[in-house]
């Protein structure tokens, strides 16, 4: 949370390039530092204290990755490719997760084989030196790709959006020249904003300087500017919307306990755990009741077998669902209305949690446990197909360049606050007592996620605007240099283009986040009630009309009727319109 908040704001204050790479330097140092943690001479230090310190530093660096990676991908991509670019960044998380599990498994087997550690070894004095090498190697090797990425990040120019925001138009054009051909024609997405920048740059410079303000005065002025910015055009709704949905998402995502080996082992239980028969020999007694023995079904499991089992089950339970979900949304992101799609995926998760929680009472510690595992995998698919990916994307698109990093940090930190909240609940209220006791509480928690997901869908519907135009807003065919002379390729490209939802330019979203859309809880609820009432009225009219056998040309399907709210000067549509209910302004 700290890294998200601080580095998000620093990116707005000092620039994306100035900060991008600093957070990765922290990751590299913390990773190397963790591999050197030790107890000192004759236990003069606490190894867990050092690991905790370096893990905290690592969390700061990794937390900073969220706002920086997302906003840089958003600001460096074209309007057309923005969705795919940000989704590709998030896809790397699922891919890296799979690589980490596979690499950890390979290092475990390779190092153990070279040093002669048997999977059945129970002697602590024999197993601990080898496992110590395994975990230090697994963690330390992660610094290698981070170092490579650190070098590549230093050669990325500052984003043109940030330079334009600072009034440095010439540097912005030079930055764009690094990625566009020399003969490319730049098309501004917001003529009004660009013209105002040009006029301000043409004004004669004066020697007058504003008096430098103290740190406290600067903070007060910045907070005032933020409040004024959010109060205009209901921008606060978008910020609170992405913060609340990310909090709700992580509440359920981390509530599944996917980072807890005990939880993963519990859902794989096919029968009641057997009693422990751990040896009490001097070399083996240290392993008795060890914390790494997290599988209730195997109380005598060795540490080698436990680490191997965790890696395999994580791949089968987590990556098998997360990777296909991320890949699917990456390929389909241009064809789906992001906000509307996220709302429906929240609804799908609510249904899934209702089934998962209801069946957990029956499948726990039985041969039907495969149903729970399957539902877990399906949950991973839906998470990454919807809210997990889109909550990562929307904060990088919804806000003005001046505040984009800060607001993104707030949204991401809200998600991690949800993770902390559910971890406290599970550790102190769910995973307490014997398996038969906490299994009922765990099932009740899964059922509790059902209304939470519905709340996420509701907040998405009423507060978060779409960042795309309606389908058909721009039907210009895509030019394809490889198109054949018969025009077949061009026809297919045109059809594909019609299915796409064009992205709104960042400048347009920042100036008019809800332009042509119906936002706000009161307006959406009023629209919903009017739609329900209109359907009832339509059914009554059709009944009377059929009874009198009167045919009229004015019989219109009430589900397609558009209502005009003269009080607010805004057009409204039936809730079944999908994306159209948010974009009546553009479809007129």
């Amino acid at each position: 949370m700290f890294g998200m908040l601080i580095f998000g704001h620093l990116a707005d204050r000092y620039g994306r390039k100035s900060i991008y790479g600093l957070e990765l330097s922290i990751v590299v140092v913390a990773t190397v530092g963790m591999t050197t943690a030790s107890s000192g001479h004759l236990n003069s230090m606490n190894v867990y204290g050092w690991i905790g310190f370096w893990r905290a530093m690592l969390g700061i660096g990794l937390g900073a990755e969220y706002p920086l990676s997302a906003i840089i991908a958003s600001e460096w991509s074209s309007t057309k490719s923005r969705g795919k670019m940000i989704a590709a960044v998030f896809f790397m998380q699922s891919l890296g997760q799979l690589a980490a599990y596979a690499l950890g498994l390979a290092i475990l087997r390779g190092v153990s084989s070279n040093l002669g550690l048997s999977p059945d070894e129970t002697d602590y004095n024999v197993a601990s030196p080898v496992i110590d090498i395994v975990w230090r190697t697994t963690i330390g090797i992660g610094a290698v790709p981070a170092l490579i990425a650190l070098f590549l990040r230093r050669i990325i120019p500052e984003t043109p959006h940030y330079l334009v925001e600072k009034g440095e138009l010439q540097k912005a054009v030079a930055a764009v020249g690094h990625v566009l051909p020399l003969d490319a024609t730049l098309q501004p997405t917001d003529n009004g904003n660009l013209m105002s920048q040009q006029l301000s740059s043409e004004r004669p410079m004066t020697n007058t300087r504003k008096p430098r303000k103290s740190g406290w005065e600067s903070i007060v002025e910045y907070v005032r500017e933020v409040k004024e910015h959010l109060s205009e055009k209901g921008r606060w709704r978008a910020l609170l919307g992405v913060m609340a949905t990310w909090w709700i998402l992580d509440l359920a995502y981390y509530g599944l306990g996917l980072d807890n080996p005990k939880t993963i082992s519990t859902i794989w239980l096919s029968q009641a755990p057997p009693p422990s028969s751990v040896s009490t020999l001097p070399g083996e007694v240290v392993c008795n009741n060890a914390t790494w023995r997290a599988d209730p079904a195997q109380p005598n499991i060795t540490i080698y077998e436990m680490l191997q089992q965790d890696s395999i089950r994580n791949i089968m339970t987590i990556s098998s669902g997360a990777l296909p979900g991320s890949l699917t949304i990456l390929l389909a992101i241009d064809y789906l209305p992001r906000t509307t799609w996220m709302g429906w995926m929240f609804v799908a998760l609510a249904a899934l949690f209702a089934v998962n929680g209801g069946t957990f009472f029956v499948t726990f510690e039985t041969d039907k446990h495969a149903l729970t595992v399957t539902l877990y995998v399906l949950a991973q698919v839906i998470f990454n197909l919807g809210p997990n990916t889109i909550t990562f994307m929307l904060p990088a698109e919804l806000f003005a360049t001046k505040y984009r990093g800060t607001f993104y940090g707030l949204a991401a930190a809200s998600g991690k606050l949800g993770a902390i909240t559910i971890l406290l609940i599970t550790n102190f209220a769910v995973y307490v007592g014997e398996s038969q006791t906490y299994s009922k509480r765990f099932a009740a928690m899964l059922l509790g996620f059902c209304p939470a997901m519905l709340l996420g869908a509701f907040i998405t519907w009423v507060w978060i605007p779409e960042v795309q135009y309606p389908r058909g807003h721009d039907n210009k065919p895509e030019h394809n240099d490889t198109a054949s002379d018969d025009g077949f390729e061009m026809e297919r490209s045109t059809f594909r283009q019609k299915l796409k939802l064009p992205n709104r330019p960042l400048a347009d979203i920042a100036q008019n986040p809800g332009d042509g859309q119906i936002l706000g809880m009161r307006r959406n609820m009023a629209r919903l009630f009017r739609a329900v009432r209109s359907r009832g009225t339509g059914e009554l009219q059709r009944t009377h009309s059929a009874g009198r056998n009167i045919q009229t040309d004015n019989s219109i399907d009430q589900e397609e009727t558009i209502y005009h709210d003269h009080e607010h000067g805004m057009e409204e549509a039936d809730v079944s319109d999908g994306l159209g209910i948010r974009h009546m302004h553009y479809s007129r």
Side-chain angles (χ1 to χ4, degrees):
M1 289 177 59
F2 182 81
M4 294 169 176
L5 293 171
I6 297 301
F7 280 83
H9 178 67
L10 291 177
D12 287 340
R13 187 175 180 87
Y14 300 106
R16 285 58 162 136
K17 177 179 173 60
S18 301
I19 305 301
Y20 203 45
L22 176 59
E23 87 293 352
L24 203 55
S25 301
I26 297 176
V27 170
V28 172
V29 172
T31 301
V32 175
M34 192 154 47
T35 62
T36 62
S38 85
S39 300
H41 180 64
L42 298 178
N43 294 323
S44 62
M45 296 186 297
N46 189 327
V47 65
Y48 295 108
W50 279 110
I51 292 177
F53 170 77
W54 290 119
R55 288 280 293 180
M57 295 296 295
L58 184 63
I60 292 174
L62 293 177
E65 281 292 318
Y66 276 79
L68 290 172
S69 296
I71 63 178
I72 287 178
S74 174
E75 294 178 0
W76 259 119
S77 58
S78 66
T79 301
K80 177 182 175 182
S81 62
R82 188 178 68 234
K84 198 171 289 290
M85 286 285 288
I86 307 176
V89 172
F90 191 81
F91 173 73
M92 291 298 107
Q93 178 175 317
S94 299
L95 194 62
Q97 195 175 40
L98 174 61
Y101 295 144
L103 183 63
L105 181 61
I107 292 175
L108 172 66
R109 291 179 174 178
V111 172
S112 300
S113 177
N114 289 336
L115 298 182
L117 176 64
S118 170
D120 301 325
E121 184 60 63
T122 58
D123 193 322
Y124 175 82
N125 296 322
V126 175
S128 61
V130 179
I131 298 301
D132 186 70
I133 296 175
V134 169
W135 79 261
R136 294 179 190 273
T137 303
T138 303
I139 293 177
I141 204 169
V144 176
L147 279 171
I148 298 173
L150 179 60
F151 170 76
L152 295 175
R153 288 182 179 186
R154 299 315 303 163
I155 62 177
I156 297 178
E158 183 59 85
T159 67
H161 283 271
Y162 183 81
L163 292 172
V164 170
E165 174 64 31
K166 293 299 181 181
E168 301 176 359
L169 297 180
Q170 293 182 351
K171 291 184 178 180
V173 174
V176 174
H178 284 82
V179 295
L180 291 180
L182 295 178
D183 58 346
T185 301
L186 300 180
Q187 298 291 339
T189 59
D190 183 14
N191 295 328
N193 184 56
L194 183 59
M195 182 62 68
S196 64
Q197 293 284 354
Q198 290 174 340
L199 290 176
S200 63
S201 65
E202 292 172 358
R203 292 170 185 164
M205 299 295 293
T206 62
N207 294 327
T208 60
R209 292 185 178 180
K210 295 182 180 180
R212 188 169 184 177
K213 298 181 179 180
S214 64
W216 177 250
E217 290 176 340
S218 299
I219 294 175
V220 172
E221 182 179 359
Y222 179 78
V223 172
R224 179 183 58 79
E225 291 177 355
V226 170
K227 289 175 63 176
E228 291 179 354
H229 177 75
L230 291 176
S231 63
E232 295 174 354
K233 302 179 181 179
R235 293 188 178 98
W236 61 270
R237 292 192 186 97
L239 178 58
L240 288 183
V242 293
M243 290 176 63
T245 51
W246 208 330
W247 184 85
I248 292 171
L249 165 69
D250 280 5
L251 198 71
Y253 185 82
Y254 289 93
L256 291 178
L258 298 177
D259 57 344
N260 189 333
K262 184 175 182 179
T263 304
I264 295 296
S265 299
T266 298
I267 66 173
W268 281 79
L269 282 175
S270 59
Q271 58 185 2
S276 175
S277 59
V278 179
S279 173
T280 56
L281 295 176
E284 301 174 7
V285 70
V286 182
C287 294
N288 192 13
N289 297 322
T291 55
W292 46 262
R293 281 202 162 107
D295 187 359
Q298 302 181 71
N300 307 321
I301 192 172
T302 67
I303 189 169
Y304 178 99
E305 293 171 334
M306 190 70 220
L307 292 174
Q308 178 177 253
Q309 177 179 282
D310 283 346
S311 297
I312 295 174
R313 286 182 173 178
N314 283 336
I315 293 174
M316 296 176 63
T317 309
I318 303 174
S319 295
S320 63
L323 197 62
S326 296
L327 181 59
T328 303
I329 194 67
L330 172 62
L331 298 176
I333 193 64
D334 290 334
Y335 302 91
L336 301 171
R338 288 197 262 286
T339 302
T340 304
W341 179 254
M342 183 171 75
W344 282 113
M345 288 299 99
F346 268 124
V347 174
L349 284 171
L352 185 64
F353 280 123
V355 175
N356 202 349
T359 58
F360 192 78
F361 293 100
V362 179
T363 61
F364 182 65
E365 294 182 354
T366 69
D367 56 359
K368 300 181 180 64
H369 70 285
L371 175 60
T372 300
V373 176
T374 301
L375 292 173
Y376 257 66
V377 174
L378 185 58
Q380 288 300 302
V381 174
I382 299 178
F383 270 130
N384 282 24
L385 188 60
N388 205 19
T389 300
I390 298 178
T391 51
F392 179 83
M393 299 176 63
L394 288 178
E397 301 179 277
L398 283 171
F399 307 115
T401 304
K402 184 178 181 179
Y403 306 106
R404 187 170 291 129
T406 302
F407 291 170
Y408 195 106
L410 287 170
S414 298
K416 293 303 167 269
L417 181 61
I420 294 173
T421 302
I422 196 63
L423 289 178
L424 291 175
I425 293 174
T426 54
N427 287 327
F428 292 101
V430 178
Y431 300 130
V432 181
E434 298 297 327
S435 61
Q436 290 291 346
T437 305
Y438 75 70
S439 65
K440 296 180 180 179
R441 291 193 292 268
F442 184 77
M445 182 183 67
L446 293 178
L447 291 174
F449 290 150
C450 178
M453 296 300 101
L454 293 177
L455 177 61
F458 180 74
I459 293 174
T460 302
W461 175 48
V462 300
W463 274 355
I464 304 179
E466 279 291 356
V467 294
Q468 296 153 284
Y469 292 118
R471 187 171 284 111
H473 175 75
D474 184 4
N475 287 329
K476 292 185 296 184
E478 295 178 345
H479 177 67
N480 186 355
D481 294 335
T482 61
S484 59
D485 294 336
D486 58 7
F488 175 75
E489 290 292 337
M490 179 62 72
E491 180 181 356
R492 185 174 65 178
S493 179
T494 304
F495 176 73
R496 185 173 64 249
Q497 182 70 7
K498 289 180 179 180
L499 296 178
K500 290 184 177 181
L501 295 155
N503 295 315
R504 296 171 60 192
L506 292 177
D508 177 52
I509 300 173
Q511 292 179 2
N512 302 289
D515 189 21
Q517 305 179 45
I518 303 172
L519 299 174
M521 190 174 300
R522 180 176 58 84
R523 291 182 179 180
N524 276 281
M525 293 303 296
R527 177 175 56 82
L528 179 62
F529 289 140
R530 281 196 294 269
V532 173
R533 186 172 64 248
S534 69
R535 289 179 179 177
T537 303
E539 291 294 334
L540 183 61
Q541 289 178 352
R542 280 193 289 270
T543 301
H544 286 302
S545 177
R548 287 182 296 220
N549 197 19
I550 299 176
Q551 297 182 353
T552 175
D553 294 334
N554 295 325
S555 59
I556 305 174
D557 185 4
Q558 293 298 317
E559 292 185 0
E560 299 298 328
T561 301
I562 298 176
Y563 293 87
H564 299 274
D565 189 342
H566 296 287
E567 178 183 356
H568 300 288
M570 182 178 295
E571 292 182 338
E572 300 183 0
D574 184 80
V575 291
S576 63
D577 288 349
L579 181 61
I581 66 176
R582 294 176 173 266
H583 286 285
M584 294 308 301
H585 174 77
Y586 300 111
S587 60
R588 285 183 291 191

